Amino acid sequence: MKAVDLLKKLGYYIGVQTLKPDKSNVCSLIFDQLVTLHLQPAPEGHLIHVYSWVGQASQAHKLQVWDALLAANLFGYALDGAYFGIYEGN
């Protein structure tokens, strides 16, 4: 099954029949007006990347946060295959 078809099926089951990637190839689901979950089909069409902004590190603790994320990301072991990333944008 292609990722886009899977997104359509997900949309059907959650009551969002219009769920499909936008011009940027991303679907965004907003929960309780607090958390946005982005679903982006990979170019190959058989994977969906799922990501969300989870917080902001203060300048004082930035290095500690980076150290913790790097340690957790080591081969995905501490995150059961998931990964964290750092977004330097706004």
Side-chain angles (χ1 to χ4, degrees):
M1 177 180 285
K2 291 194 171 216
V4 174
D5 296 328
L6 183 61
L7 288 174
K8 283 182 190 177
K9 239 181 187 182
L10 172 64
Y12 173 79
Y13 284 108
I14 64 173
V16 182
Q17 280 73 19
T18 58
L19 186 66
K20 64 180 181 179
D22 63 11
K23 293 178 199 171
S24 301
N25 198 35
V26 177
C27 297
S28 297
L29 299 173
I30 302 171
F31 298 92
D32 297 329
Q33 297 180 341
L34 298 171
V35 177
T36 303
L37 187 67
H38 304 283
L39 307 155
Q40 184 174 24
E44 307 84 38
H46 65 281
L47 295 173
I48 297 176
H49 299 284
V50 179
Y51 54 96
S52 182
W53 184 82
V54 295
Q56 186 172 349
S58 68
Q59 283 299 113
H61 296 103
K62 202 172 206 176
L63 289 177
Q64 291 170 312
V65 170
W66 284 6
D67 285 348
L69 292 178
L70 283 172
N73 278 340
L74 179 65
F75 305 117
Y77 290 139
L79 302 172
D80 198 25
Y83 292 92
F84 282 107
I86 306 289
Y87 177 68
E88 291 289 335
N90 295 337

